[in-house]
Amino acid sequence: MAKKVLDRRILRTKAMLQQALNSLIPKKGYEAITIKDICEAANVGRSTFYAHYTSKDDLKRSGFEPLRKLLIDRQRAALATARGDGSRNLGFSLPMFEHARDHRAHYRALVGSRGGTVSLATIRKILSDLARDELPITAEKNSADAIPGELVIQYVVGAYMAIMTWWLDAGAKVPPDRMDAMFRRLATEGILGGCS
């Protein structure tokens, strides 16, 4: 029984620290936030902070765990309804566009800061892992002109990140489902087949 109470306390403390950081980012900007600021906003001591995280970057990275879980769940659901024609490949795309739209102010506050670098690197890793699990890399390894599978992953994720950044910078006026459709079209048909 004590283990469950302790787990709840840990979860509650981590949630308070995450909420404190997230509430401070739009007010102060990521760079200006100190561990002291986070601890004061969460009403916890520094030793409590360091019992769970090594730095504010570590806290920031851990805040993406719910997004990772959401994307995995949505990817699995998309793959379960796939028709076998690859129509639901890249299952991370739509939920990621939706998440970015729903948290646009937070993304905007991070742009250009160390927090933005940490966030984008974390998102890039999450998307790379999802794409690696999903995309059928079937190139002949013995072929002289084979494209390495990891290059394919980095190409797809890099293109996705560039499109998402462009979309957010433009005010995210195009609905997420339309952005998803355009990204899928470019990723599957290629540049020449996707432009009109």
Side-chain angles (χ1 to χ4, degrees), residues 89-123:
N89 280 351
L90 308 170
F92 62 80
S93 177
L94 179 59
M96 188 65 223
F97 279 121
E98 291 169 341
H99 183 272
R101 177 206 54 208
D102 295 344
H103 298 88
R104 202 171 43 222
H106 192 74
Y107 279 87
R108 197 172 299 125
L110 287 167
V111 170
S113 72
R114 169 110 178 98
T117 303
V118 170
S119 297
L120 291 175
T122 304
I123 291 169

Side-chain angles (χ1 to χ4, degrees), residues 65-156:
E65 186 58 24
L67 173 62
R68 187 184 71 74
K69 288 179 181 175
L70 168 77
L71 294 175
I72 288 171
D73 290 346
R74 294 284 298 273
Q75 181 185 48
R76 286 181 183 150
L79 291 173
T81 61
R83 298 184 300 249
D85 60 359
S87 63
R88 293 313 307 160
N89 280 351
L90 308 170
F92 62 80
S93 177
L94 179 59
M96 188 65 223
F97 279 121
E98 291 169 341
H99 183 272
R101 177 206 54 208
D102 295 344
H103 298 88
R104 202 171 43 222
H106 192 74
Y107 279 87
R108 197 172 299 125
L110 287 167
V111 170
S113 72
R114 169 110 178 98
T117 303
V118 170
S119 297
L120 291 175
T122 304
I123 291 169
R124 185 180 195 89
K125 181 175 180 348
I126 291 169
L127 297 182
S128 294
D129 291 345
L130 290 168
R132 206 172 284 114
D133 289 343
E134 182 180 335
L135 293 176
I137 308 301
T138 58
E140 291 282 333
K141 291 186 179 187
N142 296 332
S143 172
D145 63 342
I147 299 173
E150 192 57 28
L151 176 59
V152 174
I153 300 303
Q154 294 308 311
Y155 175 80
V156 168

Side-chain angles (χ1 to χ4, degrees), residues 8 28-29 41 60-61 82 95 104-105 111 122 127 131 156 178 184 191:
R8 287 183 191 159
K28 294 185 78 167
K60 183 75 195 134
R61 277 188 291 273
R104 202 171 43 222
V111 170
T122 304
L127 297 182
V156 168
R178 179 79 177 114
R184 286 172 186 278
I191 296 169

Side-chain angles (χ1 to χ4, degrees), residues 27 37 45 57 59 65 81 89 101 111 160 185 188:
K27 295 174 190 170
D37 295 332
D57 289 351
L59 173 61
E65 186 58 24
T81 61
N89 280 351
R101 177 206 54 208
V111 170
Y160 184 85
R185 184 173 171 197
T188 57

